[in-house]
Amino acid sequence: MTAPLTARDRLALQWVGMVERWNSLPRASRLLIVLLLALLFYALPLLRPPILTTQQTDFGGIMFSSAALALVAVGLNIVIGYAGLLDLGYIGFYLVGAYTTGVLTSEHWHWPFFLVLPVAIAVTMLSGVLLGAPTLRVRGDYLAIVTLGFGEIIRLIVTNVEWLGAARGIKDIPHPPTIGPDPKPPFGEGGLFTIPHLSWNGLIPSLDENRGTRFLVFGAADAIPYYWLILTVLILVLVADKLVKNSRVGRAWEATREDEDAAELMGVPTFRFKLLAFAMGAAVGGLSGALFASSQGGYINPLSFPLLLSILFVAAVIVGGAGNRWGAVLGGVLVAYLPERFREFADFRLLVFGLALMILPVYRPQGLLPPARTIRARVAEREIELLEGGEDTGPTDDGLDGPEGPDGFGRTNSTGKVG
Amino acid sequence: MAERILEVDDVTLRFGGLTALDSVSLHIEEGEILGLIGPNGAGKTTCFNVITGVYTPTMGEVRFRGSSLVGLKKHQITRKGIARTFQNIRLFRSMTALENVLVGADANHSSGVLTALFRSPKHRREEADGHERGMDLLEFMGLAGRADELASNLSYGDQRRLEIARAMATQPALLCLDEPAAGFNPQEKAELMALIRRVRDRGYTVLLIEHDMRLVMGVTDRIVVLEFGKKIAEGTPADIRDNPAVIAAYLGVDEDAS
Ligand SMILES: Nc1ncnc2c1ncn2[C@@H]1O[C@H](COP(=O)(O)OP(=O)(O)OP(=O)(O)O)[C@@H](O)[C@H]1O
Ligand SMILES: [Mg+2]
């Protein structure tokens, strides 16, 4: 009579088991595995593994945009996933970071790239604080509307302000500096040495003589150095994210998301922490924008920042599983990679992608990779259900959900009354 | 005479036309357990909300250790040393039991993004302190084995106890408990009352709202009775038991109704 665990339960159990086994490994082995994995990810665009590699578009470029969107999603996850603030205008911060870079390195000044990066981050953080200070005092859906407006207004501003390049945009944004001699087209390749790519004949790899990446030239010819740069940034941001999340700050964010009044009454200055989440999210958004501005094309214009992209950012976080940084990474990668991988299906790919975005929340409202403790709790709950079900009338699938109903993310108590 | 830790001085609170608190004055002495009782809708929870800064009184003053609380933000009042639980449980549901308590403990901490990023000595000291205090409190409440469970997965009774642990973690001088035994059976209620006495023995002053008259009589040092937003009696449990106004207020009212 007792139904066995469903396939999904078993998968969840396995995942929890894996996480636990991982946590019980000695620190040194964990570090080693992480290093090897990181190395694999750095090498991915050189290895060009079959199936994964996109044939019709530059694989290095796709890897770059996947990592870039993962970075954006990790930043937005701080705002949406941790602090529970629905920010629909994140593109605005991305734009501020990109335009700060454009103005300072090309349009009006000629600052070096690595000096501009921290300035772009600071300017974007400031814009986050300026937007958040008046709006974060108000609760709920209002914020979504205001941020949506922000994303659109900031785009309209750059479209109309001549000083910011208006509709023509900003071009000739310099690439990050080359390591080794500068490239001197058409003959001097620049950089220190060439790293060859692999090519595959079925499952047999061989070195590809025609393709290689110069170490380390940032230029229009090859996106792989950019991928390495953004992957490095992504790793650093992930480490910082983990450190902050596992601290008073991360707990305050989550408490505020769960129940703002209760958090406040437990001594959390919720407004200050919401503002902080906004500023941190904005900082990562600005960083991504700055990297985008100085990437291959070296050209930005207002059309690079449509509101649709902002919605895609949110989709990446939700698809991946709001509240889990690895979920955000996965979501960002999927949202960037899948439409490119299936380019041969032309416009159908977007249709299918849109459908997937609609279906997923129905079957998996918590996203693909929700926070581990949520999975663990769900498995535990399910086991208890089955035990109870086995003893009396037999299990019902949804009926024994307990008094609380399904738990997704979002606030549990939104009434103003405290009692 | 013991020092007055909290004074509610002639407080009136109106919601539009409804006067939820009508010139209420009461005080709490250091180290005592004060019971706040009254029929449904008497204004007990509202009184808590005024003390903890959720509502600003229309008139009157609330003083904690001599300084006024009126106008302070909720989190500032908590950090001054007043913590509370909620009549309707309001835990951080998708955080673990320990994390819930840590949020409380963080009320005494000040590390931020930078100290966390660089794992500064201050950050490490505060984390260690929070974990130690948190586990100690979970132990005290009999929840140590559930530390890593999500709050929403705890049983009803454990959730009520976790609320008390979370409030205690803020290291308050005054602990306000809003019907902590609501929904408990008599056995569980008796256990909780014993626990509250032990809480007091740990050095906390307790303000306790409880519906069950008999229970309140057993655990409190003094009792204040509210009815329709007015204080109708105040005194030792023995005084209250024989007070005709209190008997009238409770007459026909089921003691266990909630
Ligand atoms: N936010 C509010 N807005 C309007 N009226 C309110 C509000 N909060 C409480 N009240 C009213 O104030 C009165 C006192 O309510 P309160 O919750 O303080 O009662 P209580 O003594 O705690 O009762 P119970 O024993 O049922 O918890 C009630 O009439 C209630 O409806
Ligand atoms: Mg009440």
Side-chain angles (χ1 to χ4, degrees):
Chain A
M1 180 105 200
T2 307
L5 291 169
T6 63
R8 208 178 107 187
D9 292 332
R10 242 173 294 137
L11 209 70
L13 264 177
Q14 265 168 16
W15 173 252
V16 171
M18 256 166 64
V19 169
E20 255 149 34
R21 221 170 314 141
W22 168 254
N23 286 334
S24 65
L25 281 178
R27 214 186 152 79
S29 359
R30 269 191 294 177
L31 203 67
L32 190 71
I33 296 175
V34 166
L35 279 178
L36 286 176
L37 266 178
L39 202 65
L40 176 71
F41 272 99
Y42 274 100
L44 215 50
L46 305 174
L47 299 176
R48 302 180 61 81
I51 300 178
L52 212 59
T53 304
T54 49
Q55 298 306 335
Q56 308 192 356
T57 16
D58 172 34
F59 185 50
I62 303 301
M63 294 294 292
F64 168 75
S65 39
S66 302
L69 199 50
L71 180 63
V72 169
V74 168
L76 188 53
N77 180 50
I78 297 174
V79 183
I80 295 184
Y82 296 166
L85 303 165
L86 188 52
D87 181 353
L88 297 181
Y90 198 60
I91 188 87
F93 299 129
Y94 192 67
L95 184 154
V96 170
Y99 268 81
T100 307
T101 307
V103 166
L104 289 179
T105 59
S106 164
E107 184 76 4
H108 295 289
W109 290 276
H110 296 282
W111 294 19
F113 174 76
F114 282 108
L115 187 64
V116 169
L117 213 51
V119 175
I121 293 173
V123 169
T124 317
M125 269 177 103
L126 188 69
S127 73
V129 170
L130 288 180
L131 173 67
T135 52
L136 288 172
R137 291 184 194 278
V138 190
R139 292 187 192 178
D141 309 336
Y142 183 71
L143 183 70
I145 296 166
V146 172
T147 51
L148 197 69
F150 168 75
E152 194 59 9
I153 286 168
I154 206 117
R155 192 177 62 82
L156 290 176
I157 290 176
V158 296
T159 313
N160 290 296
V161 173
E162 193 52 43
W163 192 76
L164 292 168
R168 84 189 135 78
I170 298 177
K171 59 179 178 4
D172 298 330
I173 300 170
H175 306 297
T178 294
I179 295 177
D182 279 332
K184 292 189 184 58
F187 302 114
E189 285 184 294
L192 297 173
F193 50 86
T194 302
I195 308 175
H197 297 187
L198 289 188
S199 73
W200 296 78
N201 187 359
L203 286 177
I204 302 156
S206 59
L207 285 184
D208 190 334
E209 260 124 56
N210 306 320
R211 264 200 265 236
T213 292
R214 289 296 289 174
F215 189 92
L216 192 63
V217 179
F218 295 95
D222 193 351
I224 293 175
Y226 282 105
Y227 166 70
W228 288 335
L229 175 65
I230 207 150
L231 185 60
T232 310
V233 170
L234 177 63
I235 291 171
L236 291 177
V237 168
L238 281 170
V239 170
D241 181 90
K242 189 182 167 80
L243 290 173
V244 173
K245 172 74 191 314
N246 293 338
S247 78
R248 167 169 176 258
V249 177
R251 287 191 293 270
W253 282 337
E254 287 198 300
T256 306
R257 175 194 71 202
E258 293 292 297
D259 188 332
E260 197 165 334
D261 287 315
E264 187 80 17
L265 285 163
M266 291 305 131
V268 179
T270 54
F271 172 70
R272 212 184 309 154
F273 276 103
K274 287 196 287 184
L275 200 57
L276 182 63
F278 231 58
M280 301 302 285
V284 179
L287 174 62
S288 326
L291 291 170
F292 167 72
S294 55
S295 68
Q296 268 182 302
Y299 170 62
I300 51 174
N301 74 5
L303 297 180
S304 325
F305 307 92
L307 212 53
L308 182 68
L309 195 55
S310 208
I311 305 303
L312 212 62
F313 292 168
V314 177
V317 174
I318 309 281
V319 165
N324 180 359
R325 68 182 71 83
W326 296 109
V329 171
L330 180 69
V333 169
L334 287 183
V335 165
Y337 174 79
L338 286 184
E340 292 302 330
R341 173 65 184 79
F342 297 105
R343 209 166 241 288
E344 54 265 43
F345 301 114
D347 284 344
F348 272 121
R349 72 203 162 105
L350 287 178
L351 182 70
V352 172
F353 181 65
L355 273 177
L357 280 187
M358 283 166 69
I359 291 169
L360 185 88
V362 176
Y363 287 99
R364 217 175 149 71
Q366 69 278 41
L368 293 173
L369 266 187
R373 57 180 179 196
T374 316
I375 304 178
R376 209 174 305 136
R378 182 163 293 108
V379 171
E381 209 171 82
R382 182 91 178 110
E383 278 170 343
I384 293 168
E385 254 172 46
L386 287 170
L387 279 176
E388 284 172 349
E391 271 164 24
D392 44 70
T393 47
T396 50
D397 222 307
D398 310 335
L400 280 170
D401 222 2
E404 325 296 1
D407 56 284
F409 64 98
R411 54 198 64 222
T412 46
N413 197 328
S414 51
T415 54
K417 197 173 162 183
V418 177
Chain B
M1 193 181 119
E3 205 185 324
R4 293 186 170 188
I5 188 168
L6 184 91
E7 287 167 297
V8 175
D9 191 1
D10 207 17
V11 162
T12 297
L13 181 75
R14 294 202 188 90
F15 294 114
L18 181 101
T19 306
L21 292 176
D22 191 352
S23 307
V24 172
S25 292
L26 57 88
H27 71 271
I28 307 169
E29 284 169 16
E30 190 98 46
E32 75 173 342
I33 302 181
L34 179 74
L36 186 60
I37 67 172
N40 285 122
K44 306 181 295 293
T45 300
T46 305
C47 190
F48 265 35
N49 283 338
V50 167
I51 292 172
T52 54
V54 177
Y55 300 137
T56 311
T58 317
M59 278 183 292
E61 263 268 274
V62 181
R63 278 187 301 274
F64 180 68
R65 292 199 159 136
S67 66
S68 175
L69 295 181
V70 175
L72 289 188
K73 297 213 174 68
K74 289 171 272 191
H75 63 87
Q76 290 170 324
I77 293 177
T78 309
R79 281 162 171 248
K80 272 182 168 276
I82 301 179
R84 66 174 285 176
T85 64
F86 299 90
Q87 184 170 354
N88 316 311
I89 301 173
R90 292 181 74 165
L91 290 166
F92 308 125
R93 295 170 49 83
S94 65
M95 298 171 81
T96 67
L98 179 61
E99 285 170 334
N100 268 271
V101 181
L102 286 177
V103 172
D106 283 338
N108 303 294
H109 298 158
S110 58
S111 45
V113 170
L114 287 181
T115 49
L117 275 181
F118 297 105
R119 285 288 182 264
S120 74
K122 176 175 154 189
H123 166 87
R124 275 180 280 155
R125 184 162 19 90
E126 290 186 348
E127 286 295 298
D129 165 73
H131 275 84
E132 193 181 326
R133 194 201 317 282
M135 282 314 292
D136 177 54
L137 283 170
L138 290 179
E139 190 98 43
F140 180 67
M141 286 287 151
L143 295 169
R146 323 236 78 138
D148 293 325
E149 300 241 12
L150 290 194
S152 60
N153 278 15
L154 296 180
S155 71
Y156 176 79
D158 284 347
Q159 293 195 7
R160 283 244 174 251
R161 277 182 283 273
L162 181 56
E163 275 231 332
I164 300 177
R166 181 180 66 172
M168 286 171 76
T170 66
Q171 288 190 289
L174 174 65
L175 185 62
C176 303
L177 305 176
D178 196 346
E179 300 201 27
F184 280 14
N185 66 34
Q187 160 84 23
E188 290 170 322
K189 281 191 178 185
E191 278 169 17
L192 190 74
M193 292 305 139
L195 189 77
I196 291 172
R197 234 176 273 124
R198 275 188 283 136
V199 168
R200 190 261 303 273
D201 295 342
R202 278 192 158 208
Y204 298 87
T205 303
V206 179
L207 174 57
L208 171 69
I209 296 181
E210 175 51 57
H211 246 91
D212 191 322
M213 280 272 258
R214 269 176 305 249
L215 224 53
V216 178
M217 299 287 163
V219 71
T220 51
D221 299 310
R222 265 183 336 118
I223 293 175
V224 169
V225 189
L226 292 181
E227 190 192 17
F228 297 123
K230 286 200 181 69
K231 183 170 85 174
I232 58 166
E234 174 175 8
T236 63
D239 295 341
I240 297 298
R241 187 180 300 133
D242 301 328
N243 187 313
V246 178
I247 295 169
Y250 268 85
L251 213 67
V253 179
D254 183 355
E255 286 178 8
D256 284 321
S258 55

